[in-house]
Amino acid sequence: MLLPLPLLLSLQPSHLFHFTSKKNQRTLKREEKKVGEMGRGKIEIKRIENSSNRQVTYSKRKNGILKKAKEITVLCDAQVSLIIFAASGKMHDYISPSTTLIDILERYHKTSGKRLWDAKHENLNGEIERLKKENDSMQIELRHLKGEDINSLNYKELMALEDALETGLVSVREKQMDVYRMFRRNDKILEEENRELNFLWQQRLAVEGAREVENGFDQSVRDYNSHMPFAFRVQPMQPNLQERI
């Protein structure tokens, strides 16, 4: 930058040095910025081919974005939900402590108007909520039947509870009598089967005993004949045969 000659003559040496130093400072800053940009260079946004470098970059940037999410939650009182899936399938997430993922998704669903799930899933969600309420109601009723948490019940509710208990007691007693009759009937059937088996067993023993007696008699007869003299065992068919001879 060139200054007019009168102005240069009117300037004192100290002013001239000050002006020159500011100019040099600006020039130096521009040069430093250029050098920094040349040294740092621009990173081309594309997939990193080297798996090790890709993993290192993912780890660094994942930690950085999680840190930024936590910072914006604290600094700006914002509600943040962040979910990251790595190439390996591992999940990293961050939810602001003042909310939950379900609340975030519901707010996003209502604000954006986008359908995050179809009508079938919505019906299933409604059915799940209905079953949960029904289960809670049944749990409360069960505690009342056990005599628990009945201080908050009024007179009509206590009377209804008493009627339910009496009805249940009658049903239990009837079922108990049915089971008792069934046991008695089974006992009678078993007794009859036992008597029939004993009768058959006695008949079998009698038949086997008779066979043993018969076999013993035949054996005794054979033993007796074996011990008799030969003369007594041989009997001629014609007693007068010797006389004729």
Side-chain angles (χ1 to χ4, degrees):
M1 180 179 180
L2 299 177
L3 296 175
L5 182 59
L7 180 60
L8 289 175
L9 295 175
S10 63
L11 291 176
Q12 297 179 3
S14 60
H15 294 163
L16 185 61
F17 176 77
H18 181 69
F19 178 78
T20 306
S21 63
K22 285 187 176 181
K23 181 180 179 181
N24 292 337
Q25 288 178 1
R26 287 196 297 269
T27 304
L28 182 60
K29 287 182 179 179
R30 285 197 298 270
E31 294 296 332
E32 289 178 352
K33 184 177 181 181
K34 290 181 180 180
V35 172
E37 291 178 353
M38 292 176 60
R40 185 169 58 247
K42 294 183 179 179
I43 299 176
E44 184 179 1
I45 302 301
K46 66 176 185 178
R47 183 177 182 272
I48 302 174
E49 298 298 333
N50 187 280
S51 60
S52 298
N53 296 340
R54 186 168 61 247
Q55 181 63 32
V56 172
T57 303
Y58 170 79
S59 179
K60 290 182 178 179
R61 300 217 171 195
K62 179 258 299 180
N63 294 334
I65 194 171
L66 289 174
K67 181 180 179 181
K68 292 296 182 182
K70 295 177 183 179
E71 290 177 353
I72 195 173
T73 299
V74 176
L75 295 174
C76 305
D77 196 21
Q79 293 182 346
V80 181
S81 175
L82 176 63
I83 302 175
I84 305 173
F85 285 97
S88 61
K90 187 176 181 181
M91 185 186 74
H92 302 87
D93 63 337
Y94 171 77
I95 307 295
S96 299
S98 59
T99 185
T100 62
L101 179 60
I102 297 176
D103 294 337
I104 288 287
L105 292 177
E106 289 181 353
R107 291 182 60 183
Y108 176 80
H109 179 76
K110 295 178 180 179
T111 305
S112 64
K114 296 181 180 180
R115 299 180 63 85
L116 299 178
W117 44 76
D118 53 12
K120 180 179 179 180
H121 291 87
E122 291 181 356
N123 294 333
L124 289 175
N125 189 27
E127 183 67 16
I128 291 173
E129 293 296 330
R130 186 188 66 81
L131 292 175
K132 286 182 179 179
K133 293 180 180 179
E134 184 177 353
N135 182 54
D136 294 339
S137 177
M138 293 179 65
Q139 291 291 335
I140 294 173
E141 185 178 356
L142 180 61
R143 288 197 298 271
H144 289 167
L145 292 173
K146 291 181 178 180
E148 301 174 356
D149 301 336
I150 60 175
N151 295 329
S152 60
L153 300 179
N154 54 33
Y155 179 77
K156 292 183 178 180
E157 292 174 341
L158 290 174
M159 290 296 295
L161 181 60
E162 183 180 3
D163 294 338
L165 290 173
E166 289 180 353
T167 303
L169 182 61
V170 171
S171 300
V172 170
R173 287 176 177 174
E174 291 179 354
K175 184 63 177 179
Q176 185 179 7
M177 291 302 299
D178 292 339
V179 173
Y180 176 74
R181 295 189 191 99
M182 183 183 66
F183 283 151
R184 290 296 302 273
R185 185 168 58 254
N186 292 338
D187 290 340
K188 290 181 180 179
I189 293 173
L190 292 175
E191 289 177 358
E192 292 177 359
E193 291 179 353
N194 189 26
R195 284 196 296 268
E196 291 178 0
L197 291 174
N198 286 331
F199 177 75
L200 294 175
W201 177 251
Q202 292 295 333
Q203 285 185 341
R204 182 175 180 181
L205 290 179
V207 171
E208 291 180 354
R211 288 179 180 176
E212 291 179 356
V213 171
E214 183 180 357
N215 293 334
F217 178 76
D218 294 341
Q219 184 67 28
S220 62
V221 170
R222 287 194 295 271
D223 294 341
Y224 176 76
N225 290 333
S226 62
H227 290 85
M228 288 181 60
F230 182 76
F232 291 97
R233 283 183 286 146
V234 177
Q235 296 180 359
M237 298 297 296
Q238 298 179 1
N240 298 326
L241 182 60
Q242 294 179 354
E243 296 178 356
R244 293 179 182 180
I245 294 175

